[in-house]
Each structure stands twice: as C-alpha cells, then as structure tokens.
Amino acid sequence: MARHLLFDAETFRWAGVEQRDYKQSEGTQRGMGWRGLTRHTLVPGGSVAAGFEQRYFEIEPGGYSSLEKHEHIHVVITLRGRGRVLVGDRVVELGPMEVLEIPPWAAHRWVNAGDEPWGFLCTVEAERDRPQPVDDAEWEALQADPATAPFIF
Amino acid sequence: MARHLLFDAETFRWAGVEQRDYKQSEGTQRGMGWRGLTRHTLVPGGSVAAGFEQRYFEIEPGGYSSLEKHEHIHVVITLRGRGRVLVGDRVVELGPMEVLEIPPWAAHRWVNAGDEPWGFLCTVEAERDRPQPVDDAEWEALQADPATAPFIF
C-alpha cells in the first residue's frame, strides 16, 4: 500500500504525521541543549525497506538544535522560512528551497534567527550513529572565531 | 566541505546543478517511453558517503515518465505544481508538499495533467536495482480498469 500524506498549507502540517519533540530529553552535556524544535517523521527508516528516513523539522523563532557531530550525513532542504547553520567552521544562511549537506563529523547547529518558523526536510540513513558533543579543541576553536562564537553555548 | 546549493525562485533551479534528461535514451520496451521530463541531482548517492540520493524531477504539462517497477522505493514530495501518479493499482493526485511513497515492485508512472510544471523531490537509495517494464498480466489488468487505463501506453 502506497503511503500518501496530505498536506495542510494553513498549518504547514501533514495529515497523520505525529509532531514530536526534537529529542526525547533535554541535552545535559555541554552544547547539547535545544529549544523550540519539533520533529515530523514523514517516512520512517525501515518502512517498506527504505534505507533512509525523511523527516521534517520546524524551529520556532529563537529556537535552536543541539551542537553536535556524527558520522552520518544530513541533507537539508528549506521548505519555509530561513535558517542559520553552523557547519564545520562555517556559518551558512539557508533560504527557501536551498540545499545544505552536512558532511561526516562536521559540528553543526541549526538556529532560527528570523521571526517566522523555519521548516526544513532532513534526510538521513536509516541506520546511523549517535550524535556526540563537540570536543574541547573544537569548542575552543569555534568560540575563538567571532563568526562561529554565537553558536557555541 | 559542506555542499550548499543556492536556489533561484524565478527559474526554480539550483545553482550548479546540471539539468539532464530523465533517462539517457528513449524507452523502446512497452510502456517505457517518456516525455518532457528533466532530472536535477541535488545530492548524488555516494557523495560524502551518502547511502541515498536526493533528486528533483520536473515534468512539463503533457509530460510523463516511463511505466515501470523495481525493488527500490521512491519517496516523492511535490515542490511546485500538481501531478497524477499511477502507483500499483491506484491513481493518486499529488498537490504541493504532499508526500507519496512508492512501495517495492509497485508499477508507477508520473503524469503532468495540469498546465504548469510539476516539480518534485524524489529520494532513493544510492545502490538500487534497474527499472523494469510491467509484465503482461499487470499490463492487461491495469488496462482493464478504467481508472488506471489512461496510464497504460
């Protein structure tokens, strides 16, 4: 049976897709805190043998994700609003429909610095490693650079 | 290095992404013909170890894809316009942001029955089997059903 998800443009939500917290718990390790971020799994990994998972994340104004790194990559496409992303030692502004690939082990954090919700698709492999906090050397280098310092908290 | 693709809303194209024909050749097997369809590979499979590939397809009014089936699944999300999809023994109308999953071995064909371009993301696994034409029994059953018959040519 083909899965077909209807979409409500008014609420920017897909019918039958549960809205969850970004993570099950608040991050307690350094940099792993997050705020105002919901997760909407459009196509779970492992469903009808998919080797990947298609999620939609939405970050409210002022919200942000954990500062983290991992081996698996992210492919992100903005569907609404605009975001600001720390990726490795760079900062990228991500407007509507723009695509960003987060390479393996690049430190990253998503921030909504605008005044409307920022929503984006994020594709990952179904089998993937667990996110880790950045290490001391990364933390210090990112904090020492004025461009990346605002992402380090 | 993080790949960042800028987007031009005017042309609905990503900077640096080559527009290719949907397939390298015209289909010569029954049902494998196609028309007015371009392929834009946003993130190739195998790039920075991605186990999946993120493509954007665009079908002009009157255009259509091959009628085919395969083991690997598709996850499709409409970004612009509207499409009509044969999937298995059903026909699905796919409006903006709607999501459709094509299960393994479901016969499928994308048709643009509207009057503006229909553009959609299509995620697949990087390693995947080759599309095949439908077999005689499928062809006949789909042609016998008035709902699916328009897709069988």
Side-chain angles (χ1 to χ4, degrees):
Chain A
M1 186 65 177
R3 173 194 299 245
H4 177 203
L5 304 178
L6 296 173
F7 180 75
D8 179 15
E10 197 70 38
T11 58
F12 219 96
R13 291 291 179 266
W14 289 265
V17 175
E18 196 188 351
Q19 170 172 322
R20 297 191 187 186
D21 283 341
Y22 163 57
K23 291 184 173 174
Q24 288 186 310
S25 58
E26 286 180 55
T28 51
Q29 288 169 289
R30 187 181 62 181
M32 293 295 271
W34 56 276
R35 190 168 81 184
L37 207 168
T38 55
R39 169 195 296 263
H40 311 248
T41 302
L42 303 180
V43 178
S47 79
V48 298
F52 56 87
E53 206 169 295
Q54 190 73 270
R55 298 96 46 92
Y56 170 75
F57 291 100
E58 200 171 270
I59 309 186
E60 60 190 45
Y64 51 82
S65 66
S66 308
L67 171 64
E68 62 183 41
K69 62 179 185 176
H70 40 67
E71 186 174 17
H72 66 273
I73 76 154
H74 289 303
V75 172
V76 165
I77 304 177
T78 291
L79 296 186
R80 70 183 304 200
R82 301 185 69 83
R84 193 171 290 164
V85 187
L86 169 74
V87 46
D89 57 4
R90 291 170 62 202
V91 175
V92 173
E93 297 277 339
L94 209 64
M97 298 296 171
E98 288 182 28
V99 177
L100 182 66
E101 196 181 281
I102 308 289
W105 298 114
H108 54 283
R109 170 166 256 167
W110 328 104
V111 173
N112 187 346
D115 51 15
E116 55 172 329
W118 175 32
F120 56 89
L121 291 173
C122 179
T123 314
V124 288
E125 285 158 297
E127 301 269 338
R128 55 190 186 274
D129 61 319
R130 210 178 163 75
Q132 306 175 14
V134 299
D135 63 28
D136 290 346
E138 288 168 306
W139 182 279
E140 283 154 27
L142 291 167
Q143 208 167 38
D145 180 341
T148 55
F151 292 83
I152 310 309
F153 55 86
Chain B
M1 187 64 178
R3 173 194 299 247
H4 176 204
L5 303 178
L6 295 173
F7 180 75
D8 178 14
E10 197 70 38
T11 58
F12 218 96
R13 292 289 179 266
W14 289 266
V17 175
E18 196 188 352
Q19 170 172 322
R20 298 194 185 182
D21 283 342
Y22 163 57
K23 290 183 174 175
Q24 287 187 310
S25 59
E26 286 179 55
T28 52
Q29 288 170 287
R30 186 181 62 181
M32 294 294 271
W34 57 275
R35 191 168 79 185
L37 208 168
T38 54
R39 170 195 296 264
H40 311 249
T41 302
L42 304 180
V43 178
S47 79
V48 298
F52 56 87
E53 206 168 295
Q54 190 73 270
R55 299 96 47 91
Y56 170 75
F57 291 101
E58 199 171 271
I59 309 186
E60 61 189 45
Y64 51 83
S65 66
S66 308
L67 171 64
E68 62 183 42
K69 61 178 185 175
H70 40 66
E71 186 176 15
H72 67 272
I73 76 155
H74 288 303
V75 171
V76 165
I77 304 178
T78 290
L79 296 186
R80 71 184 303 200
R82 300 185 70 85
R84 192 171 290 164
V85 187
L86 169 74
V87 47
D89 57 4
R90 292 169 63 201
V91 174
V92 173
E93 298 277 341
L94 208 65
M97 297 296 170
E98 288 182 27
V99 177
L100 183 66
E101 194 181 282
I102 309 290
W105 298 114
H108 54 282
R109 171 166 255 167
W110 328 103
V111 173
N112 186 346
D115 52 14
E116 55 172 330
W118 175 33
F120 55 88
L121 291 174
C122 179
T123 314
V124 288
E125 284 157 300
E127 300 270 339
R128 55 190 186 275
D129 61 319
R130 210 178 162 74
Q132 306 175 13
V134 299
D135 63 29
D136 290 347
E138 289 168 305
W139 182 278
E140 283 153 28
L142 291 167
Q143 208 166 41
D145 180 341
T148 55
F151 292 84
I152 311 309
F153 55 87

